[in-house]
Amino acid sequence: MDLLRTAISGNYARNNHAFVVNEIGKAVVAGDYAVGSLLPGDVELARRFEVSRTVLREAMKTLTAKGLVFPRARIGTRVTEKEKWNLLDADVLTWHFEAGITEEFLQHLSEMRLSFEPFAARLAARNATPEDIARLYDLADRMAEANSKESFALADLDFHMALLGASKNPFMHSVGNLIEAALVSAFKLSSPVEDETQLASVADHRQIVTAVEAGDGDAAAAGMERVIAVGRDRVSGRISRGRQST
């Protein structure tokens, strides 16, 4: 849950390596360095960020692992095509939010969630233990009791991650960053706590748990589809209103 907690606290890693990775990563995602272009040389970057060549090389290794750049001996470090970026990586998702998300990005994110979360709910209806169900009800109660968008977002994330756990499919956890990214967008742009839809959102989440408890996979999946769609439309509406006001 580092992605959401970082968005809430605003506290980012402060060591030199993390600083360089963050600054270059943000610049690449924002388009300051175009796809296919070469980054400035090591000497220039080390001077700009006031770090050693060793720190810079390690930062480049990290960015390479995330798919954003590709170093070539005697040529330089080139920005890779966007299709090679690891969009499941928490840092890459964070940089997209900092660059400013679009309705297209939000739509793609929602489509990915729709591809696996309803099925996770269906699996939970088959595999959840009584302890899993009690945990989900408790988290729905936490969402109802939340008195700030921060506490609501954290309870909401805990709910969705607990549902993935209740599916008993360990691969589900690997895509948890996408859920977290979607909730970061909701936290930053439009929270149910702020637009007075909190109780309706809680009711939708509780309906999923009721379906899971009843072993009704179809209802659990449909409930999850509704939760994702409502959240997407709420944030999309805020983006559209913001664009019209500028």
Side-chain angles (χ1 to χ4, degrees):
M1 299 192 346
D2 291 341
L3 187 61
L4 182 57
R5 293 190 185 281
T6 297
I8 290 173
S9 67
N11 293 326
Y12 297 89
R14 300 300 182 187
N15 63 66
N16 286 341
H17 173 268
F19 172 72
V20 175
V21 169
N22 191 58
E23 291 301 304
I24 297 178
K26 283 194 301 183
V28 168
V29 171
D32 296 341
Y33 298 121
V35 168
S37 66
L38 291 173
L39 295 182
D42 288 357
V43 174
E44 180 181 341
L45 288 174
R47 184 184 304 115
R48 178 186 304 178
F49 296 120
E50 299 180 343
V51 297
S52 68
R53 297 280 293 276
T54 299
V55 168
L56 185 63
R57 282 194 295 270
E58 291 303 312
M60 289 303 178
K61 288 180 182 178
T62 299
L63 291 167
T64 299
K66 296 177 186 296
L68 271 65
V69 300
F70 182 73
R72 294 290 297 272
R74 295 185 296 277
I75 295 177
T77 301
R78 193 178 298 279
V79 178
T80 60
E81 298 84 358
K82 292 183 179 180
E83 290 77 12
K84 295 183 179 179
W85 298 359
N86 181 6
L87 292 179
L88 298 180
D89 182 89
D91 287 334
V92 178
L93 286 168
T94 297
W95 297 329
H96 274 87
F97 285 111
E98 292 182 353
I101 61 170
T102 62
E103 288 189 66
E104 181 183 33
F105 180 83
L106 179 65
Q107 180 65 27
H108 290 163
L109 184 60
S110 298
E111 287 169 353
M112 280 301 298
R113 291 186 67 193
L114 286 168
S115 74
F116 69 88
E117 278 198 88
F119 190 70
R122 190 181 298 276
L123 287 177
R126 182 195 309 166
N127 300 323
T129 66
E131 291 76 15
D132 291 327
I133 293 168
R135 168 79 171 150
L136 288 166
Y137 275 126
D138 178 65
L139 290 168
D141 289 341
R142 275 181 50 197
M143 292 171 65
E145 296 163 1
N147 57 11
S148 69
K149 67 177 186 177
E150 293 85 357
S151 57
F152 184 91
L154 289 171
D156 195 2
L157 177 59
D158 283 342
F159 179 97
H160 286 269
M161 297 306 293
L163 188 84
L164 295 188
S167 76
K168 305 308 179 187
N169 184 328
F171 287 96
M172 288 292 180
H173 289 285
S174 299
V175 288
N177 277 343
L178 292 176
I179 300 173
E180 198 166 0
L183 297 183
V184 168
S185 69
F187 165 75
K188 289 192 170 185
L189 295 173
S190 178
S191 168
V193 175
E194 295 177 315
D195 63 16
E196 299 181 352
T197 60
Q198 180 175 355
L199 292 181
S201 179
V202 171
D204 286 342
H205 283 75
R206 194 182 297 278
Q207 187 176 42
I208 295 172
V209 190
T210 301
V212 168
E213 185 177 30
D216 189 340
D218 289 342
M224 182 58 73
E225 289 176 357
R226 171 175 169 75
V227 163
I228 294 170
V230 168
R232 175 201 62 208
D233 293 346
R234 186 177 62 249
V235 176
S236 180
R238 179 61 63 89
I239 293 174
S240 297
R241 289 192 295 273
R243 187 170 57 243
Q244 292 167 4
S245 66
T246 58

